Amino acid sequence: MSKQNFNEFVKKNLDLVGALDGFKAYTGPKIVQIDLTNNCNLNCVGCWCHSDLLGNLKLKGEEKKRKLPYEIVKKLIEDLHEMGIKEIMLSGSGEPFMYPKIMDVMRLIKKKRMKCQIITNFTLVNEKIIRELVDLKVDNITVSLWAGTHETYVKTHPNQTEETFHRIKRMLQYLHSIKKEDNLPHVKIFNVISNRNYYEIEDMLDFALDSLVDYLEFQVIDVVKGKTNSLALSEKERESIIKQLNGLSKRKDYLEVPMSKSLEILDKKMHKMEFAEFGRFVKVKSLVNGFNYFLEDITCYRVKCPKGKFHINVIEDNIVESALKFVYLKKVCKKCDYHDRCNIDKGRYLVKAEFLSLIGFGSFYRRVSNESVSQGVYDSSVDPIPCYVGWIYARILTDGSVIPCCKAHLFPLGNLYKNSFKDIWFSKKYNEFREKAKKLKKSNPYFKRIECYKECDNLGMNLELHKRIKDLSFFQKKRILFEIKK
């Protein structure tokens, strides 16, 4: 690698450089999560903050009303932009759309040309808000649903009615109907699986397909000891989930994803499993009127136009439109007597069969297959690799606390009411965390307040950076370390 190419590589991979250093950070995190408010209009049964099962631990009074002042949020976003942070996630202990200036926050993020993703229950979103989300080109929306039918939705959201569930579907369909060619926002439905909804895996898939969203993700419930243990999965329930998952590949709308060898660099089988893909499902409803989709087998698919003609080519788009694009011959189409009435995209002469991707499958399958899941232990696999989260992620709580990972509520490394995010991120205290997180096992007393073995929500991004480091040769690592020590 030439000197120029090496310098360019280092400039583009400063998070990796910091992780190799093992102590300092040379750039800001890849993503920052901001908890705007603790307030929420729902009481999801498994929520760590608002479930009625929590008893005296349930947020109430002033603590529930607490929110980050807009002036602090505004300064934070401006500081993050100056640091070169590319992505902000709006999420947290409450519902982001209960934050009074939520739209102003998203406008500011997009004005700064940063990626914006939001995690929401989607109950407070209306058509006006949806139109602005599309116009702003918000990048990703995660809808926390926890159900595949209205009966189970009410069961997992006790203060809601069946109509809420149906309205969410209508709003998701409306969002899809007004998306532009960039397909933004990408929409994911997120379902936390407990013993109150474990039997609805296929129903959840059908809801996602009917709602025309882009992604579907499952996660095992993370119980609060002594409070929500009653929601934990039994062995029979875990077996039922695995059986349901295995049955999904037999559906007629299932598309197989070619196996990837890109993760062979990882040492452990359990880490390769983390990124295992399942497949995709065709959203037949996304086809324009008059065109019919045929699946001959899991790798061969065809589309026939209203006049009985089949496409001449198929393009697979996994990046922007998440669709199979069936291309027709323009000069043939123009001669067709049905041309003027045909619904084909006359700019590109193609029709799309959009697909739904089941993401995070490897992580979910690994966790649901773990016998320790009923005891609330999910991620005993965190020790075999170093923890790099101190170089790639940070979370801001509603009280201004800056925490180093998603589960570190009791482990603040600074507070925005006292210091800027930049000062906190590059502080000695943060460097101490980075060094210990990379070198020490998580059984060390230093990590007691985080409970890393219980569930690591940052494991996926941690493994991604680990893979990038493993991809480097011995001499490349030596060269990087030599350069940064000069």
Side-chain angles (χ1 to χ4, degrees):
M1 187 185 294
S2 68
K3 178 72 173 177
Q4 182 179 349
N5 289 342
F6 175 77
N7 290 339
E8 190 66 26
F9 174 83
V10 169
K11 185 178 179 181
K12 291 180 178 179
N13 293 273
L14 288 173
D15 56 343
L16 181 151
V17 173
L20 281 176
D21 175 89
F23 182 68
K24 291 174 60 178
Y26 292 85
T27 187
K30 180 179 179 181
I31 183 170
V32 173
Q33 178 177 334
I34 303 176
D35 292 17
L36 294 173
T37 178
N38 283 348
N39 205 1
C40 188
N41 60 321
L42 301 189
N43 58 345
C44 308
V45 289
C47 180
W48 275 50
C49 301
H50 304 285
S51 170
D52 293 334
L53 299 175
L54 293 173
N56 61 340
L57 294 182
K58 182 179 178 180
L59 295 187
K60 52 186 175 294
E62 292 304 312
E63 188 177 12
K64 181 176 180 178
K65 294 178 183 178
R66 190 170 64 209
K67 61 182 181 290
L68 271 175
Y70 178 66
E71 289 307 313
I72 285 184
V73 176
K74 184 178 178 181
K75 184 180 184 305
L76 172 62
I77 293 171
E78 290 171 348
D79 289 348
L80 296 178
H81 177 252
E82 289 180 7
M83 290 176 67
I85 281 76
K86 303 297 184 184
E87 186 169 352
I88 292 178
M89 176 194 297
L90 304 175
S91 178
S93 304
E95 166 53 42
F97 281 100
M98 292 198 76
Y99 189 74
K101 289 186 172 288
I102 179 61
M103 299 310 297
D104 290 322
V105 172
M106 286 191 281
R107 289 183 199 112
L108 180 58
I109 293 170
K110 295 309 297 182
K111 184 179 179 181
K112 298 292 185 182
R113 299 182 182 274
M114 303 165 78
K115 285 188 175 181
C116 176
Q117 60 170 298
I118 186 165
I119 300 177
T120 169
N121 60 43
F122 217 64
T123 60
L124 302 176
V125 174
N126 55 36
E127 292 185 358
K128 180 182 177 182
I129 291 174
I130 287 174
R131 287 193 294 271
E132 183 162 8
L133 293 174
V134 173
D135 290 340
L136 283 172
K137 296 188 177 182
V138 168
D139 297 271
N140 297 287
I141 298 174
T142 295
V143 179
S144 182
L145 193 69
W146 298 29
T149 64
H150 59 255
E151 295 93 347
T152 299
Y153 185 81
V154 173
K155 191 186 300 183
T156 53
H157 304 78
N159 68 355
Q160 294 301 299
T161 65
E162 295 177 0
E163 172 54 26
T164 306
F165 180 79
H166 297 309
R167 184 180 179 279
I168 290 173
K169 178 187 282 190
R170 291 196 301 271
M171 290 298 102
L172 288 171
Q173 291 172 337
Y174 177 73
L175 172 56
H176 177 271
S177 72
I178 66 169
K179 280 189 183 184
K180 300 171 184 176
E181 283 191 8
D182 53 23
N183 195 36
L184 295 178
H186 294 296
V187 182
K188 176 178 73 176
I189 288 179
F190 185 75
N191 287 312
V192 175
I193 305 301
S194 70
N195 60 19
R196 295 200 184 184
N197 60 7
Y198 74 93
Y199 46 83
E200 284 198 347
I201 298 297
E202 191 158 6
D203 290 318
M204 293 173 181
L205 172 61
D206 286 333
F207 179 91
L209 288 168
D210 290 342
S211 302
L212 298 168
V213 302
D214 304 289
Y215 307 107
L216 174 64
E217 184 174 6
F218 301 112
Q219 188 54 275
V220 179
I221 190 166
D222 184 7
V223 299
V224 179
K225 291 179 182 178
K227 299 295 181 180
T228 61
N229 302 65
S230 60
L231 302 174
L233 296 167
S234 68
E235 183 176 351
K236 285 186 177 180
E237 289 160 352
R238 289 193 300 106
E239 291 173 354
S240 172
I241 293 170
I242 292 171
K243 184 177 180 180
Q244 291 175 73
L245 290 171
N246 292 336
L248 294 181
S249 61
K250 298 178 176 62
R251 289 171 56 115
K252 291 183 178 180
D253 53 1
Y254 173 73
L255 296 175
E256 190 172 66
V257 175
M259 293 299 291
S260 171
K261 295 184 178 181
S262 63
L263 295 169
E264 290 184 354
I265 195 74
L266 295 174
D267 297 320
K268 303 291 183 180
K269 181 179 179 181
M270 60 182 140
H271 294 151
K272 292 183 178 70
M273 180 64 190
E274 192 74 16
F275 295 100
E277 294 187 76
F278 183 82
R280 297 163 302 189
F281 301 86
V282 175
K283 295 183 276 188
V284 179
K285 288 185 177 181
S286 68
L287 276 171
V288 295
N289 291 336
F291 288 81
N292 293 305
Y293 173 84
F294 299 89
L295 180 68
E296 297 181 3
D297 60 52
I298 58 176
T299 59
C300 182
Y301 21 80
R302 308 178 76 193
V303 161
K304 184 169 66 174
C305 79
K307 298 296 285 186
K309 302 292 184 182
F310 286 95
H311 64 278
I312 60 168
N313 191 22
V314 61
I315 301 170
E316 190 169 332
D317 179 357
N318 297 302
I319 307 299
V320 179
E321 297 180 82
S322 297
L324 302 172
K325 300 175 181 179
F326 298 90
V327 184
Y328 285 78
L329 198 61
K330 181 178 180 179
K331 62 181 180 180
V332 173
C333 285
K334 281 194 167 184
K335 293 178 181 178
C336 178
D337 58 7
Y338 191 73
H339 179 268
D340 292 342
R341 292 171 288 159
C342 185
N343 292 306
I344 195 169
D345 179 341
K346 293 185 176 68
R348 300 181 288 177
Y349 281 89
L350 59 79
V351 293
K352 294 187 299 181
E354 298 175 19
F355 51 73
L356 171 80
S357 297
L358 184 58
I359 63 172
F361 171 76
S363 173
F364 178 64
Y365 198 90
R366 174 183 60 77
R367 284 173 170 171
V368 83
S369 301
N370 188 341
E371 293 180 359
S372 300
V373 111
S374 58
Q375 284 81 49
V377 178
Y378 305 89
D379 288 324
S380 55
S381 59
V382 296
D383 275 336
I385 66 167
C387 175
Y388 307 104
V389 73
W391 288 276
I392 50 182
Y393 170 92
R395 181 176 178 183
I396 317 297
L397 303 183
T398 55
D399 64 356
S401 295
V402 178
I403 61 175
C405 68
C406 194
K407 296 295 187 183
H409 301 80
L410 302 177
F411 201 98
L413 296 177
N415 194 288
L416 295 182
Y417 284 99
K418 297 179 180 179
N419 302 101
S420 70
F421 179 83
K422 183 177 181 179
D423 287 342
I424 295 168
W425 178 255
F426 292 110
S427 67
K428 290 182 179 180
K429 192 172 184 180
Y430 224 119
N431 286 341
E432 180 189 19
F433 171 82
R434 293 184 180 102
E435 184 177 34
K436 290 182 182 295
K438 183 180 178 183
K439 292 182 178 179
L440 301 178
K441 287 188 175 182
K442 303 309 170 287
S443 56
N444 188 283
Y446 181 80
F447 303 102
K448 185 177 181 180
R449 289 175 290 168
I450 301 179
E451 294 188 304
C452 304
Y453 297 130
K454 191 173 186 295
E455 184 176 30
C456 178
D457 287 344
N458 300 103
L459 182 59
M461 61 176 69
N462 193 41
L463 282 168
E464 286 178 1
L465 182 53
H466 184 63
K467 178 189 175 299
R468 287 166 57 202
I469 292 174
K470 293 282 288 184
D471 279 336
L472 296 173
S473 70
F474 172 80
F475 295 104
Q476 286 173 323
K477 293 177 186 176
K478 281 286 187 182
R479 186 176 179 183
I480 291 172
L481 288 172
F482 175 76
E483 291 293 332
I484 64 177
K485 295 298 182 184
K486 288 199 311 185

